[in-house]
Amino acid sequence: MWFVSNLERLDAEMAALKVLSSAGWIDQAEWQVERESGTLRVKLDFRVGEKVYEAWLSYPHVFPWAPPQIVPRREGELWSGHQWGVGGELCLQIRSDNWSPLCTGADMVRSARSLLLTECASDEKGHRRTAPSAHVLSEGQQMLWQFRRLVVMPAFLNKLMEQPAGCRCRLAISFSENAMIYTPATLMLADGTEWADPSVPASFRGRAFTNGYAFPLATDDANASLAKRPDALTATELWSQFSVEPLTEDMVLFLALPEEVYCHYLDAKKDTISKVGILKQEYAARLSPSNAVLASKRIGLIGAGSMGSKVAASIARAGARKFLVIDDDLLTDGNLVRHDLDWNSVGAHKAEAIKKRLELIAPGIDVQVLRMKLGGQTSTKLLLSALSNLGTCDLIVDASGSADGFNYAAAAAENYGIPMVWGSVFAGGYGGYIARSRPRVDPGPFAARTEISNWCANPEFPEPPAAAEIDYGAGKEGQPPMIADDADVSVIASHLAKFAIDLLVKPDSSSYPYSAYMIGLRAEWIFTEPFATFPIPFTGGSSNTSSSLPLPVGEFGKIARQYMRIMS
């Protein structure tokens, strides 16, 4: 407890309150420790004019790093308009957002009396004064008590303001623990056509929905004031201002002025109006303009496991909109320790579940799925079709972790002259690697893999862990499970995703001078330090790097003999 370990501060707090009591308006200041919580508090009675306020001045356990609270001792009392709810603490000039350890509990008491003095006084017209507010609530704080909320996309708002009159609209519904959220998805236009908001993902628009009406209003419209404050009206009366049809069902009424939007929920049975909180969205530039090129690129993803799922989601968030996903595996509950999907997809084919996942990340995403395993038992016709399909991609990403998957991906990349990136997490989660092959810049994928193996052929390298030789991507029976947690996979997947994004955005130059990197996550194998990274220079092809850079030597060095088998 602070008042036990910091007796000097306790003395200062008591002395400050004693000095304040000499002003004559504090009737009682009794120090005590609350038994159940061990909180130090002061039973405080102070006068404002003729009224006595009975309060607790309560010190938090982390004092002096957080401010004391002043709350009514009696439950259900509301003293001020600057109070956190009935019976709650006073919101004073000194608060959690501007508190300093140099302040004291006496300062809080002085501030409380000043607030209440201001509010009990009257101005020259006899109106009760209000204390100036310093409240700056975040959007999240404003929505804490707003059960019904409306997400408004700029495209929907712009389309509505173009309409000559009100339109029926369909609103997609989603739920959180304490909220029902509406998202306007479509507008029924005057010509009878239905306009769908392109900024809302199509799969999201198809969710459970409710009907609503949206009305564009001019600033001088007679109903503009009703849009802002319909307090004195019933639901039927408010609805009658906008429609001659009777209100026979619950309705979400969306009213848009040029600079403001308002939304109300009309309960037809109770004939009441409830406010709907507005979450107005903005098109904020959170990506580099150079990422715009990703929307036109098609990415072929081989492997929809933990690595592939994370890479796909990251590239989609960066701006990619076209994907080909090849995988035949099913998602099990055991995969959830490091997969980007969740229990909603357990039992589904990973590739199809990733398709749904990507379609909810951004509107306009086009995902083609091939439920097959490159290198698995399948017809030659289907295999050749898959390879031909890969040939239409702008980039091949091999996240299969399988030698067979890599071989077919590399064959397609070399045959069609397509860049390729690949990578893997090492069993045990102590590191991984990423690599790329760019036509006319790097060695082809097969040659690049050999280059990586040759780089590791230094007899000075240490022996790798035994599990490093297991080909987990092959899916053979009887293999022990791969041990790596979500953080391990996420780090390597993020590097691989950034490698892919950089390759597509900067085809003629790169932020990465090397085309292969060994990435350590903890001190093991060749990594003597966590996060140690080794670039691997390619000696063949036209690399951006010098092939004469020395290899790591000494204690970094005995992995080569075993690592040849890992990479080949």
Side-chain angles (χ1 to χ4, degrees), residues 369-420:
V369 168
L370 294 181
R371 293 182 302 177
M372 64 172 293
K373 181 178 182 179
L374 286 184
Q377 292 186 4
T378 187
S379 69
T380 302
K381 180 179 180 181
L382 182 58
L383 173 62
L384 294 178
S385 175
L387 295 177
S388 177
N389 207 336
L390 281 172
T392 67
C393 295
D394 297 285
L395 173 68
I396 295 175
V397 179
D398 175 33
S400 66
S402 163
D404 291 336
F406 175 89
N407 289 339
Y408 279 111
E414 291 204 1
N415 185 63
Y416 294 104
I418 300 170
M420 175 176 164

Side-chain angles (χ1 to χ4, degrees), residues 36 45 51 81 90 100-101 264 287 322 372 390 411 420 443 447 494 511 527 549:
E36 291 186 6
D45 292 349
K51 185 173 181 178
L90 294 179
S100 167
H264 307 287
L287 292 173
K322 301 176 183 178
M372 64 172 293
L390 281 172
M420 175 176 164
S494 294
S511 299
F527 311 113
L549 292 174

Side-chain angles (χ1 to χ4, degrees), residues 182-199:
Y182 306 109
T183 302
T186 65
L187 275 175
M188 188 61 68
L189 305 182
D191 61 5
T193 61
E194 189 174 38
W195 173 85
D197 189 339
S199 57

Side-chain angles (χ1 to χ4, degrees), residues 235 238-239 247 249-253 264-268 272-273:
L238 179 60
W239 175 245
L247 181 67
E249 59 179 343
D250 292 357
M251 184 69 63
V252 177
L253 181 62
H264 307 287
Y265 182 80
L266 310 184
D267 188 316
T272 57
I273 302 171

Side-chain angles (χ1 to χ4, degrees), residues 140 143-151 176 178-183 275-279:
M143 290 293 166
L144 280 175
W145 300 279
Q146 199 68 59
F147 173 70
R148 299 184 189 275
R149 305 170 189 173
L150 185 84
V151 175
S176 69
N178 297 306
M180 177 182 290
I181 303 164
Y182 306 109
T183 302
K275 179 183 177 182
V276 178
I278 302 290
L279 285 78

Side-chain angles (χ1 to χ4, degrees), residues 17-83:
L17 192 58
K18 185 175 182 180
V19 169
L20 188 62
S21 298
S22 65
W25 47 268
I26 294 180
D27 295 339
Q28 178 180 219
E30 178 186 321
W31 292 81
Q32 57 181 251
V33 176
E34 204 275 321
R35 289 188 176 182
E36 291 186 6
S37 65
T39 300
L40 180 68
R41 61 186 184 178
V42 180
K43 187 176 183 181
L44 185 70
D45 292 349
F46 64 96
R47 283 177 285 106
V48 178
E50 299 300 321
K51 185 173 181 178
V52 176
Y53 290 86
E54 299 177 351
W56 289 116
L57 170 62
S58 181
Y59 287 82
H61 290 308
V62 295
F63 187 81
W65 309 114
Q69 299 171 298
I70 295 182
V71 298
R73 288 208 304 271
R74 297 181 182 180
E75 293 185 4
E77 289 192 340
L78 184 65
W79 291 351
S80 167
H82 294 266
Q83 188 173 346

Side-chain angles (χ1 to χ4, degrees), residues 349-558:
H349 280 87
K350 292 176 182 176
E352 291 181 338
I354 285 178
K355 171 183 169 73
K356 292 182 179 179
R357 173 91 167 115
L358 296 182
E359 287 174 344
L360 286 173
I361 286 177
I365 285 186
D366 177 20
V367 184
Q368 182 185 0
V369 168
L370 294 181
R371 293 182 302 177
M372 64 172 293
K373 181 178 182 179
L374 286 184
Q377 292 186 4
T378 187
S379 69
T380 302
K381 180 179 180 181
L382 182 58
L383 173 62
L384 294 178
S385 175
L387 295 177
S388 177
N389 207 336
L390 281 172
T392 67
C393 295
D394 297 285
L395 173 68
I396 295 175
V397 179
D398 175 33
S400 66
S402 163
D404 291 336
F406 175 89
N407 289 339
Y408 279 111
E414 291 204 1
N415 185 63
Y416 294 104
I418 300 170
M420 175 176 164
V421 299
W422 65 97
S424 183
V425 178
F426 300 142
Y430 55 86
Y433 78 96
I434 60 173
R436 70 183 172 198
S437 174
R438 298 164 294 177
R440 300 175 300 280
V441 179
D442 301 309
F446 291 111
R449 182 172 61 175
T450 300
E451 292 258 18
I452 296 171
S453 297
N454 290 340
W455 181 87
C456 297
N458 188 333
E460 298 291 324
F461 281 21
E463 296 288 332
E469 297 186 56
I470 300 175
D471 182 0
Y472 288 99
K476 296 179 181 178
E477 293 291 334
Q479 291 185 147
M482 178 178 174
I483 303 300
D485 61 30
D486 187 72
D488 301 327
V489 177
S490 295
V491 171
I492 306 302
S494 294
H495 285 305
L496 184 58
K498 194 59 182 178
F499 227 19
I501 293 166
D502 176 81
L503 194 155
L504 292 171
V505 171
K506 300 178 178 180
D508 301 320
S509 62
S510 175
S511 299
Y512 302 94
Y514 294 85
S515 287
Y517 292 87
M518 290 287 177
I519 304 166
L521 298 179
R522 68 170 184 262
E524 189 169 331
W525 204 9
I526 62 172
F527 311 113
T528 59
E529 294 289 340
F531 308 116
T533 299
F534 295 92
I536 302 178
F538 287 164
T539 59
S542 303
S543 176
N544 291 337
T545 66
S546 169
S547 62
S548 61
L549 292 174
L551 300 179
V553 294
E555 62 183 4
F556 286 106
K558 299 177 182 176

